[in-house]
Amino acid sequence: MTGVPQQSDPDSLEHVAGKVEVLHDHFKDSKAKMTGVTGQNPFGEIKHPDTRPGEPHPSEHAVQALGNFKDRMHSQFDAAADLMKSSGGALREAAKALREADNAAKDSLTVKDGSLDT
């Protein structure tokens, strides 16, 4: 890993912000790809013996478990996407603050003719 730069420049911060914000989109895309059981049940029709009437099929339990897992994972993907979006925004705000500080410093400097001659 390379060393940490001694100063931050606004352009670099905005570049990193763009990269972080792309992660937001990747999390949203990944979330969309994670689905529960859709269409035909991949676990088939497994039925309990007649000695346990009225109880759901084991495959129904598996479908429900997968659905619960999917819902929890979706909430994790949403949380990660929101974190990436807010991190990108924080980086952009930092870049803006650096630019404003640089501009304020430039406006505050007054050089009189010949005062810096060595």
Side-chain angles (χ1 to χ4, degrees):
M1 186 171 148
T2 61
V4 177
Q6 295 303 313
Q7 5 172 271
S8 299
D9 69 280
D11 292 335
S12 295
L13 285 175
E14 286 187 343
H15 175 75
V16 172
K19 296 289 187 182
V20 168
E21 289 165 348
V22 166
L23 292 175
H24 168 271
D25 298 333
H26 289 307
F27 279 115
K28 291 294 188 180
D29 292 343
S30 295
K31 174 188 171 185
K33 292 176 185 174
M34 178 175 264
T35 62
V37 176
T38 56
Q40 185 176 359
N41 184 351
F43 302 105
E45 292 297 322
I46 304 169
K47 297 183 180 182
H48 283 293
D50 292 335
T51 57
R52 293 163 57 184
E55 209 171 295
H57 304 296
S59 60
E60 292 172 17
H61 286 295
V63 170
Q64 184 179 18
L66 283 174
N68 290 339
F69 176 76
K70 175 199 64 115
D71 292 343
R72 289 186 188 117
M73 289 304 300
H74 276 194
S75 67
Q76 293 298 316
F77 280 118
D78 286 339
D82 290 345
L83 182 60
M84 294 301 104
K85 189 174 185 179
S86 63
S87 296
L91 287 166
R92 290 189 189 285
E93 287 296 319
K96 180 181 173 187
L98 281 174
R99 281 197 178 91
E100 289 172 358
D102 286 347
N103 290 337
K106 288 176 188 172
D107 290 343
S108 298
L109 291 177
T110 304
V111 178
K112 296 181 180 178
D113 290 335
S115 65
L116 295 178
D117 291 341
T118 54

